[in-house]
Amino acid sequence: MRMRHKPWANDFLAENADIAISDPAQYKGRWNTVFGNDNPIHIEVGTGKGQFISGMAKQNPDINYIGIELFKSVIVTAVQKVKDSGAHNVRLLNIDAETLNDVFERGEIKRVYLNFSDPWPKNRHEKRRLTFKAFLKKYEEVMGETGEIHFKTDNRGLFEYSLKSFSEYGLLLKEVSLDLHNSDPKGNIMTEYEEKFSALGQPIYRAEVEWRTKDRL
Ligand SMILES: C[S@@+](CC[C@H](N)C(=O)[O-])C[C@H]1O[C@@H](n2cnc3c(N)ncnc32)[C@H](O)[C@@H]1O
């Protein structure tokens, strides 16, 4: 992702504090009060510029969405997209996924989306991949007894690695597609990266895995 320094980003995020939540740890265990309802909460880790999360929020008004993005210079575009979409069921957090457990209580999240996560192809960077076992543990901690991860990527190496990582962690594989756009992608909302790579003719890989902690004990 190409990043430009945006000196106005702090002011912009402060002006849009209804969408871009500052100090999110204060809401741990009570995100329902932020949304004003008890609808299920789904998070997207590595939201980027926000096309997916704003599209999902419009498509599914009875789900609450929280997008997590490391870079301020990127999340500002997502904030603008959420504003433009008029969706009221999205919040965005400018945090590192490493800190998920400071922000969400066990069981507070029902689904995690990972879209076109950075592949980190070198072995020595394995720990940075968002499907590395330490991240799966974090997702498990915020989802509690049951939950799901929905994963899309154009990167075959990352996909193969992730299927193995999911399986070694004991997750149940519910769906796998090796060419999402030529299977049955009903309701699929494309991300910015997905549009870019599929326009180049690259297949999009997708997996849905499920969590049932009891089955793993
Ligand atoms: C390749 S981009 C994909 C963006 C978007 N999901 C898409 O499909 O268009 C990956 C995004 O994940 C973000 N990211 C990577 N590691 C992260 C982390 N540990 N916590 C939060 N965001 C992260 C990056 O800053 C980047 O915006």
Side-chain angles (χ1 to χ4, degrees):
M1 169 103 32
R2 192 157 162 234
M3 269 161 294
R4 289 198 187 88
H5 179 57
K6 294 180 179 159
W8 47 268
N10 279 334
D11 288 345
F12 180 80
L13 295 180
E15 282 158 22
N16 291 287
D18 52 333
I19 297 172
I21 307 290
S22 62
D23 190 15
Q26 68 180 304
Y27 298 113
K28 181 174 179 173
R30 51 187 194 97
W31 280 98
N32 57 345
T33 64
V34 173
F35 289 103
N37 59 53
D38 286 324
N39 291 341
I41 301 176
H42 296 179
I43 63 174
E44 185 190 16
V45 179
T47 291
K49 294 182 178 172
Q51 177 166 297
F52 177 81
I53 205 158
S54 43
M56 290 295 280
K58 288 297 275 187
Q59 189 187 71
N60 305 292
D62 295 335
I63 305 285
N64 295 324
Y65 291 91
I66 300 180
I68 286 157
E69 170 52 51
L70 190 55
F71 290 109
K72 215 168 260 173
S73 57
V74 176
I75 205 173
V76 287
T77 306
V79 172
Q80 188 62 52
K81 264 183 205 157
V82 170
K83 271 180 90 165
D84 293 346
S85 76
H88 296 293
N89 51 334
V90 189
R91 301 294 183 274
L92 296 168
L93 314 183
N94 178 212
I95 58 167
D96 190 326
E98 289 279 355
T99 67
L100 274 185
N101 309 112
D102 300 335
V103 170
F104 301 112
E105 196 60 76
R106 181 174 165 79
E108 202 165 17
I109 303 303
K110 295 289 166 243
R111 184 180 296 171
V112 172
Y113 287 98
L114 301 172
N115 291 318
F116 300 82
S117 309
D118 296 319
W120 295 109
K122 292 188 176 131
N123 283 342
R124 67 188 155 90
H125 290 147
E126 181 191 6
K127 290 182 179 163
R128 298 185 190 178
R129 297 177 196 150
L130 291 178
T131 51
F132 179 60
K133 61 184 176 202
F135 278 109
L136 299 183
K137 186 162 189 294
K138 288 181 194 295
Y139 309 146
E140 177 173 23
E141 278 165 12
V142 299
M143 290 196 281
E145 292 285 303
T146 57
E148 295 176 350
I149 301 174
H150 292 202
F151 176 56
K152 292 196 276 191
T153 182
D154 64 299
N155 188 296
R156 185 156 185 129
L158 180 67
F159 193 63
E160 286 173 357
Y161 167 85
S162 303
L163 290 183
K164 191 160 171 280
S165 182
F166 294 147
S167 151
E168 283 173 2
Y169 198 81
L171 305 182
L172 303 175
L173 209 51
K174 274 179 73 183
E175 298 246 3
V176 179
S177 172
L178 299 178
D179 190 356
L180 175 65
H181 294 181
N182 284 313
S183 42
D184 184 18
K186 52 178 178 311
N188 182 49
I189 301 276
M190 292 224 259
T191 79
E192 284 85 352
Y193 270 63
E194 185 170 354
E195 279 189 348
K196 193 169 97 183
F197 291 119
S198 56
L200 295 171
Q202 288 180 222
I204 303 302
Y205 306 103
R206 180 176 183 279
E208 250 180 69
V209 292
E210 191 178 49
W211 216 265
R212 273 183 287 162
T213 305
K214 277 196 208 107
D215 295 349
R216 307 198 312 103
L217 296 176

